[in-house]
Amino acid sequence: MRLSRRRLNGLTEHGFSILITLFGLLILTFVIGRIMPTDPVRAMVGEDASREVYEHVYQQLGLDKPMWQQFLLYLRDVVTLDFGTSIRTGQPVLQDIARALPATIELATFAIIIGAGLGTPMGVIAAVNKDKWQDQVIRVLSLMGHSMPIFWTGMIALLIFYANLGWVGGSGRMSQFYIGLVPERTNFLLIDSILAGQWDVFWSALNHLILPAALLGYSSSAYITRMTRSFMLDQINQEYVTTARVKGLSRRQTIWRHAFGNIRVQLVTIVALAYGSLLEGAVLIETVFAFPGFGQYLTSNLLIGDMNAVMTCVLIVGVIFIGLNILSDILYRVFDPRTR
Amino acid sequence: MSMTQETSAALPRRTMPQGLIAARNIVVFLTRSPTSLFGLVVLGLLLILALFAPLIATHDPYMQDLQNTLHPPSSDYLFGTDELGRDIFSRLVHGSRITLTIIFLVTIVVGPLGLIFGTVAGYFGGKVDTVLMRITDIFLSFPSLILSLAFVAALGPSLNNAIIAIALTAWPPIARLARAETMTFRQADYISAARLQGASPARIIWRSIVPMCLPSVLIRLTLNMATVILTAAGLGFLGLGAQPPLPEWGAMIATGRRYMIDSWWLVTFPGLAILSVSLAFNLLGDGLRDALDPKQMNRR
Amino acid sequence: MDPILDIRNLSIRYQGSAEPAVRNVSFTLGRERLGIVGESGSGKSTVGRAIMRLLDTAELTADKMTFEEVDLLNASERQMLKVRGQRMSMILQDPKFSLNPIQRCGHQIAEAYRTHVRCTKAEARQRAVEMLEQVHIRDPERVYDMYPHEVSGGMGQRVMIAMMLLTSPDLVIADEPTSALDVTIRLQVLRILDGLVRDKGIGLVMISHDLNLVRAFCDRVLIMYAGRLVETLDAKHLDRAQHPYTQGLLAAQPRIGGPRGPLSVLDRQDSWLNAQGEVA
């Protein structure tokens, strides 16, 4: 009931609403960019530039024009995928992001596999054993995961598993030793290292990925567990579950074949949303682990007020989020026969 | 089987619970579950710490003592000292004031804002709903930390701006929830009855719909508080929230990070403080959900 | 003839409640159609579910409770898995809720077969389609591939009947099989169920609150009140009811061509709670 949404009148309306959301997103990033306290011109030309140079760049950037024209210019840039250059790196922002984003996707994908793999069965177990000790233990475990400041847990975990025990790699994407060894093709290090046949690099990358991914995964499993449990509780008392038992199916079969099938739809939505919020955790965890991903790129540019980079990063996160929402919507339609 | 179904269907959803009795019942219910009790106790402790911070703190939280830097925990310095010789325990105690300020300010902005947006959108439906929900959707299309980051970057890093940024990003889920709740009983008979009696939409929303949404909004706010605290701490950690020398817990972790390998107490205690407060909110919210959800109560 | 069901002094108490929901109910069932009639809350559905051993949180006590050679009181869940769905099954009230919304009707029917019979998918499909034909569904192949929300209530309930009779059980419990349906198709569905039950020689327990319906489709009727069995009667001789509750129920039924005065209302007496029905 809660999740059933109004049927949308066809894909056109759906697409239209996505467009509006995108447009709002652009306004938002534009506004954020305009009210940033740093002077974009000064940041570009440097402190010692002459007045003429300053004026020239000022006009070049269109800052002398009225706001709405500036917004149109921004729109044009976005449509042509021209996001400007980053002041910090001197490279086109898009190129920077194309390097940083795959690292984060690698991290987030690993994390969501851990999170969903952990969270779903835990949620089902908790629901089936509602109010018994299993439920209580899982409840506390998942609330813990939900409550921990991930940057702090990351530090403590580094201290224990890297500094003291030496089980995992420390900071970065791979050990210093291997940097530059693998040609960048996809920018997904795990894939690139396999393509290059560099197994040492692959293991090093995996070794560096596992701790931050496990922490992120645990924190998102908290959410997935709780949602799975409550979805499952709604289903377990439904009549069709009784029907399944009457047919002679075992408890386990009724739960996994029948009840679980009915929460799959909602679960997919939840996992997609959890994947989006992993990006958030990634910002913090990447800072702690000095993991050269999207989150680190964003924060380091925030601190120096690199407008182009920040606006683009925020825009891309928004687009990824909208994309995930669309994806979960599509999956919703695919999985639930009632919405076909 | 059929009996429980009938009672839950027939269970009257009262418009306005008798405030005090209900509150007492809720507290009684919460104290019965050990986890919610833990949450209540921690938050009570936080409140006491914040109120009586100068009395509880053993040292001046800002006083530097360069003779005594990075002193491990001892009877003099309960949680040790930081790189400038400041007493960590006292800083944590004073930091609770910052945490409470954040919680308080965010709540009084987010709660009413979300309720108004949600109930109005849900009650009127149609174009109003579309427009309002579109706005919420835009805000919802960001993870809250990243949007707060962007806002703070735009406004300039400071504690106040962090609070504004968090409040700006925290209301849409509340609005969504209030809208969904409103939609479920917009068609209810007692709303139609109120309408037939000639009550104005504002009155119906205020008298009949807001009280119905309140329980779930409260739960959601409590649960969201954990996120708010984590976001605030995260901003502090990234250097975008409270600025030194303010004893904000996240910022304390950030400065402690450099000395972490040799002086574990610098990051451990502030982290535990954040963890226990956000855990407390989560446990309490979880308990509240059980206490306020009639369906859940019935199942027991 | 050996009885299919033999129940003596069955009491059922739900966990967390002091009073038993059902107390001291005794009856036997042969290859016949037995109706259990009572108002809501009288414990009739609870009895049905207890026979299927579906009440996980309830405590069952009885002197005897057997289904054919199976001791229902002491059978393990593993034993019950072999019995449920194969030798006894149950038709639930409302197909809108009792069919799994995300599985095709046919798949759900076939699953009942495949759970108990080792066979190929095609074979199970074949059997399911045949069964759909037997419940008078005109285009069984098409209905097989439909989702529950795509079929009407009457059709859904026929799907349910097909699912539950596919394994040719010896006992079928029908728990208010038609209360959720439109009045106009109730009889139609009941006739289908009745025909199959007669043809296959299945023992039927029909749980209902509708006295007339039970009278028309059953051989014998048990009357339950407040968890107790107050009376057992032949359906033909319902009018000879002894117990005041049954008499009251009968008097409250409107009749075509009968007197047009106000119908009488039940005047409940505490003494009914102590009365024990005669066991036939």
Side-chain angles (χ1 to χ4, degrees):
Chain A
M1 272 307 271
R2 227 174 317 138
L3 269 175
S4 81
R5 42 191 78 178
R6 268 178 312 149
R7 292 272 192 90
L8 292 170
N9 297 341
L11 283 171
T12 33
E13 193 179 325
H14 202 175
F16 186 65
S17 78
I18 291 166
L19 272 184
I20 292 184
T21 311
L22 265 176
F23 189 73
L25 201 67
L26 287 170
I27 295 180
L28 210 63
T29 49
F30 176 75
V31 169
I32 288 169
R34 287 310 112 152
I35 54 177
M36 270 180 79
T38 44
D39 181 345
V41 182
R42 195 46 82 200
M44 260 180 109
V45 298
E47 292 299 324
D48 324 315
S50 66
R51 205 178 154 68
E52 288 78 49
V53 175
Y54 186 95
E55 282 298 326
H56 180 69
V57 175
Y58 189 82
Q59 280 173 19
Q60 210 176 25
L61 288 176
L63 293 173
D64 53 336
K65 300 203 171 71
M67 267 303 170
W68 64 271
Q69 280 189 12
Q70 288 188 38
F71 182 65
L72 286 182
L73 283 175
Y74 175 59
L75 272 189
R76 192 198 62 198
D77 288 350
V78 169
V79 170
T80 55
L81 293 181
D82 173 14
F83 295 102
T85 49
S86 159
I87 296 155
R88 193 173 56 102
T89 62
Q91 305 250 2
V93 173
L94 210 56
Q95 199 178 318
D96 280 351
I97 291 178
R99 284 170 60 104
L101 198 56
T104 302
I105 290 177
E106 228 166 46
L107 181 63
T109 308
F110 241 74
I112 201 73
I113 292 170
I114 293 172
L118 217 65
T120 319
M122 287 216 303
V124 173
I125 290 170
V128 172
N129 300 292
K130 181 169 184 282
D131 291 335
K132 297 203 193 115
W133 65 268
Q134 295 96 326
D135 187 22
Q136 300 295 349
V137 169
I138 287 173
R139 173 168 136 140
V140 171
L141 268 180
S142 83
L143 284 177
M144 280 293 261
H146 209 56
S147 310
M148 61 187 195
I150 196 158
F151 52 93
W152 175 73
T153 339
M155 285 184 210
I156 303 287
L158 263 181
L159 209 58
I160 296 171
F161 294 107
Y162 171 64
N164 282 336
L165 298 173
W167 287 357
V168 296
S171 307
R173 251 181 123 178
M174 56 188 141
S175 99
Q176 295 288 331
F177 186 68
Y178 295 121
I179 289 177
L181 212 62
V182 170
E184 292 172 5
R185 290 185 214 175
T186 58
N187 281 321
F188 290 97
L189 190 55
L190 290 177
I191 296 173
D192 282 347
S193 57
I194 291 175
L195 287 179
Q198 295 279 0
W199 290 100
D200 289 351
V201 180
F202 179 79
W203 285 118
S204 173
L206 205 60
N207 220 356
H208 281 75
L209 199 61
I210 196 75
L211 192 55
L215 287 172
L216 274 178
Y218 175 44
S219 83
S220 74
S221 82
Y223 177 60
I224 296 172
T225 304
R226 294 165 58 85
M227 298 313 281
T228 309
R229 177 179 179 274
S230 87
F231 293 154
M232 213 52 195
L233 282 180
D234 281 346
Q235 298 300 324
I236 274 178
N237 293 321
Q238 299 280 330
E239 279 287 275
Y240 72 82
V241 175
T242 311
T243 306
R245 281 195 77 194
V246 167
K247 279 197 263 185
L249 267 62
S250 68
R251 284 239 111 195
R252 183 179 294 237
Q253 286 170 323
T254 27
I255 283 166
W256 289 104
R257 263 198 229 161
H258 286 268
F260 189 73
N262 274 278
I263 70 163
R264 217 169 38 188
V265 181
Q266 293 156 303
L267 215 54
V268 163
T269 318
I270 290 307
V271 170
L273 291 180
Y275 191 85
S277 60
L278 277 178
L279 293 175
E280 179 171 293
V283 170
L284 292 165
I285 209 98
E286 283 177 8
T287 309
V288 173
F289 282 82
F291 194 86
F294 182 78
Q296 214 199 18
Y297 182 73
L298 170 63
T299 42
S300 50
N301 285 317
L302 265 178
L303 291 169
I304 59 158
D306 189 338
M307 190 179 76
N308 281 338
V310 171
M311 281 166 71
T312 314
C313 282
V314 173
L315 188 65
I316 283 179
V317 171
V319 169
I320 291 176
F321 244 55
I322 293 176
L324 284 169
N325 272 315
I326 297 171
L327 183 74
S328 73
D329 222 68
I330 293 172
L331 291 172
Y332 205 106
R333 279 153 202 275
V334 171
F335 274 128
D336 192 341
R338 282 162 295 187
T339 55
R340 272 184 216 148
Chain B
M1 211 43 204
S2 66
M3 224 170 74
T4 52
Q5 270 170 15
E6 272 154 37
T7 43
S8 73
L11 195 90
R13 301 198 67 168
R14 305 259 294 277
T15 30
M16 188 68 198
Q18 294 148 309
L20 275 178
I21 300 172
R24 200 194 56 201
N25 287 345
I26 290 166
V27 171
V28 169
F29 183 89
L30 287 179
T31 47
R32 256 190 237 134
S33 126
T35 47
S36 319
L37 188 64
F38 172 82
L40 270 182
V41 168
V42 169
L43 294 183
L45 225 65
L46 179 74
L47 204 65
I48 292 171
L49 279 184
L51 282 177
F52 303 108
L55 298 176
I56 295 168
T58 49
H59 296 75
D60 180 340
Y62 298 106
M63 200 186 64
Q64 303 184 1
D65 179 359
L66 296 175
Q67 305 291 311
N68 264 324
T69 58
L70 300 176
H71 198 290
S74 65
S75 54
D76 275 349
Y77 302 102
L78 220 46
F79 291 167
T81 63
D82 66 7
E83 77 284 2
L84 296 173
R86 295 171 297 193
D87 180 43
I88 291 182
F89 174 72
S90 307
R91 285 177 69 72
L92 282 182
V93 171
H94 279 268
S96 65
R97 292 188 157 186
I98 299 176
T99 304
L100 267 190
T101 315
I102 297 171
I103 292 168
F104 178 72
L105 289 177
V106 170
T107 310
I108 59 166
V109 176
V110 167
L113 202 65
L115 259 179
I116 292 172
F117 258 63
T119 49
V120 167
Y123 180 75
F124 288 104
K127 284 211 177 80
V128 180
D129 183 34
T130 313
V131 171
L132 290 182
M133 280 306 114
R134 194 58 58 211
I135 296 173
T136 355
D137 274 354
I138 292 165
F139 277 86
L140 274 177
S141 50
F142 289 104
S144 61
L145 179 71
I146 292 185
L147 192 54
S148 325
L149 276 179
F151 276 128
V152 175
L155 300 168
S158 78
L159 180 59
N160 287 340
N161 289 344
I163 294 174
I164 294 172
I166 292 171
L168 275 175
T169 57
W171 66 269
I174 304 288
R176 261 291 162 93
L177 180 73
R179 171 178 175 269
E181 290 271 304
T182 309
M183 302 270 279
T184 58
F185 33 72
R186 185 174 60 169
Q187 304 297 341
D189 288 340
Y190 73 96
I191 302 281
S192 317
R195 208 176 293 144
L196 287 174
Q197 280 169 5
S200 67
R203 189 183 160 85
I204 293 176
I205 289 175
W206 177 243
R207 294 294 300 266
S208 305
I209 291 181
V210 168
M212 298 296 295
C213 300
L214 218 49
S216 45
V217 165
L218 276 179
I219 298 167
R220 193 60 198 259
L221 269 176
T222 316
L223 281 172
N224 276 13
M225 268 320 129
T227 319
V228 165
I229 285 170
L230 290 180
T231 309
L235 287 174
F237 170 73
L238 292 173
L240 293 165
Q243 297 298 306
L246 276 183
E248 198 271 329
W249 298 341
M252 285 171 73
I253 294 179
T255 46
R257 192 176 161 205
R258 258 171 288 159
Y259 311 93
M260 182 175 75
I261 301 277
D262 301 310
S263 317
W264 54 271
W265 56 92
L266 249 63
V267 294
T268 307
F269 292 113
L272 285 176
I274 300 170
L275 175 64
S276 40
V277 173
S278 87
L279 185 62
F281 270 112
N282 271 329
L283 289 172
L284 192 67
D286 213 52
L288 270 179
R289 191 186 354 229
D290 288 350
L292 294 179
D293 184 356
K295 220 165 73 190
Q296 289 276 340
M297 296 280 273
N298 231 21
R299 273 197 197 139
R300 271 155 204 275
Chain C
M1 186 173 71
D2 277 344
I4 299 173
L5 264 181
D6 189 352
I7 293 176
R8 294 201 197 134
N9 279 330
L10 170 68
S11 294
I12 304 162
R13 195 172 60 84
Y14 282 107
Q15 235 169 44
S17 81
E19 285 290 300
V22 168
R23 61 176 73 183
N24 298 332
V25 167
S26 307
F27 65 91
T28 57
L29 175 84
R31 303 224 170 258
E32 59 178 331
R33 297 161 303 159
L34 177 75
I36 302 183
V37 177
E39 56 202 24
S40 53
S42 64
K44 54 191 195 306
S45 286
T46 305
V47 170
R49 280 164 201 248
I51 295 170
M52 299 286 306
R53 282 275 305 275
L54 292 172
L55 304 169
D56 297 322
T57 58
E59 188 186 299
L60 308 186
T61 50
D63 294 342
K64 186 177 183 193
M65 182 163 151
T66 54
F67 163 69
E68 294 176 338
E69 87 294 346
V70 184
D71 178 5
L72 291 176
L73 271 183
N74 300 311
S76 65
E77 179 68 14
R78 185 184 285 257
Q79 282 171 292
M80 285 311 295
L81 289 182
K82 294 221 177 82
V83 174
R84 261 191 232 122
Q86 185 170 27
R87 294 172 53 191
M88 62 158 100
S89 63
M90 183 156 93
I91 293 161
L92 298 164
Q93 183 172 352
D94 191 344
K96 236 192 291 159
F97 301 111
S98 55
L99 295 177
N100 187 339
I102 60 157
Q103 290 185 359
R104 294 176 197 278
C105 293
H107 176 86
Q108 297 185 52
I109 299 173
E111 189 186 29
Y113 193 70
R114 280 162 59 86
T115 306
H116 300 286
V117 184
R118 196 172 273 277
C119 66
T120 62
K121 268 189 181 169
E123 229 173 293
R125 183 185 172 106
Q126 184 54 36
R127 291 301 309 264
V129 170
E130 278 167 27
M131 197 64 217
L132 281 172
E133 249 164 45
Q134 288 186 45
V135 294
H136 300 242
I137 284 175
R138 244 173 270 145
D139 194 352
E141 291 282 352
R142 194 173 62 92
V143 173
Y144 187 98
D145 286 323
M146 277 159 87
Y147 284 99
H149 72 277
E150 294 168 331
V151 301
S152 66
M155 178 101 75
Q157 200 61 321
R158 282 187 273 165
V159 167
M160 186 80 192
I161 292 171
M163 187 181 346
M164 290 309 173
L165 297 188
L166 181 55
T167 51
S168 302
D170 296 331
L171 168 67
V172 169
I173 300 166
D175 189 352
E176 306 263 10
T178 55
S179 334
L181 304 181
D182 278 349
V183 182
T184 45
I185 52 173
R186 274 187 194 171
L187 276 182
Q188 194 193 346
V189 169
L190 271 178
R191 289 222 175 89
I192 291 168
L193 177 63
D194 193 51
L196 286 169
V197 166
R198 281 164 186 268
D199 287 352
K200 302 192 177 206
I202 297 172
L204 173 75
V205 174
M206 177 136 96
I207 297 166
S208 176
H209 61 268
D210 189 337
L211 212 52
N212 285 329
L213 204 109
V214 169
R215 186 204 295 236
F217 282 95
C218 292
D219 306 316
R220 260 189 324 142
V221 183
L222 309 181
I223 314 284
M224 281 190 76
Y225 177 71
R228 294 155 177 85
L229 198 59
V230 295
E231 197 160 24
T232 309
L233 291 157
D234 277 351
K236 280 175 285 186
H237 305 131
L238 210 56
D239 295 326
R240 294 185 207 157
Q242 301 292 310
H243 195 274
Y245 174 66
T246 321
Q247 289 171 346
L249 277 186
L250 286 166
Q253 302 278 336
R255 222 169 284 179
I256 294 173
R260 288 187 206 153
L263 289 169
S264 65
V265 177
L266 268 182
D267 179 22
R268 288 162 202 271
Q269 317 246 316
D270 288 343
S271 64
W272 294 356
L273 295 179
N274 303 318
Q276 282 294 324
E278 285 306 305
V279 181

